[in-house]
Amino acid sequence: MSEEHSIAMTKASVMLYDDQMKKWLPAGGAQGFSKVHIYANERANTYRVVGRKISNHEVVINCMLTKGMRYNQASATFHQWRDPKRVYGLNFPNVAEAKAFADSVAEVFARLGGA
């Protein structure tokens, strides 16, 4: 049995920043919404963002949230963050979904001891 469970879920378009092309590209190669969860393993105090395309269930993001990461609310409905390999973006369908997800991320960083 997995010790991970979802502590937040939203619908968003997952984007990846292409450094060479200097632009945002849809994760998985095609536009479309994904179900994006924050999964917690509270015993190990680890958290990750996992998103699957709604259309075909392809995993388009699987990223650990770690202490020291910066979560940037670039606009009311577009948020971004980076890990050592990639820059991730979420384009939310509305401000309420974006705010709820950002609040969950802030809670994760508080549990990790600040960001």
Side-chain angles (χ1 to χ4, degrees):
M1 183 168 130
S2 174
E3 295 189 29
E4 281 188 317
H5 64 279
S6 178
I7 60 170
M9 195 279 292
T10 191
K11 182 171 84 169
S13 294
V14 179
M15 309 295 285
L16 300 172
Y17 189 75
D18 186 310
D19 232 8
Q20 292 180 332
M21 295 174 66
K22 303 288 185 215
K23 68 179 191 174
W24 289 98
L25 300 174
Q31 290 284 1
F33 283 112
S34 297
K35 268 191 184 176
V36 181
H37 291 263
I38 297 176
Y39 285 104
N41 180 332
E42 289 161 351
R43 189 167 159 199
N45 200 32
T46 59
Y47 303 88
R48 63 190 178 115
V49 176
V50 177
R52 289 179 177 270
K53 284 266 196 212
I54 292 171
S55 61
N56 63 7
H57 306 288
E58 174 189 4
V59 174
V60 290
I61 186 172
N62 186 350
C63 171
M64 295 297 293
L65 294 176
T66 59
K67 183 177 179 177
M69 268 186 169
R70 288 184 41 221
Y71 185 85
N72 179 35
Q73 296 179 45
S75 77
T77 57
F78 185 79
H79 299 178
Q80 64 190 59
W81 71 97
R82 70 174 55 236
D83 69 12
K85 297 178 190 170
R86 303 203 105 143
V87 182
Y88 302 95
L90 295 178
N91 196 13
F92 298 93
N94 58 59
V95 173
E97 297 254 356
K99 182 180 178 338
F101 195 81
D103 290 347
S104 296
V105 170
E107 175 62 29
V108 166
F109 288 147
R111 292 179 190 180
L112 291 170

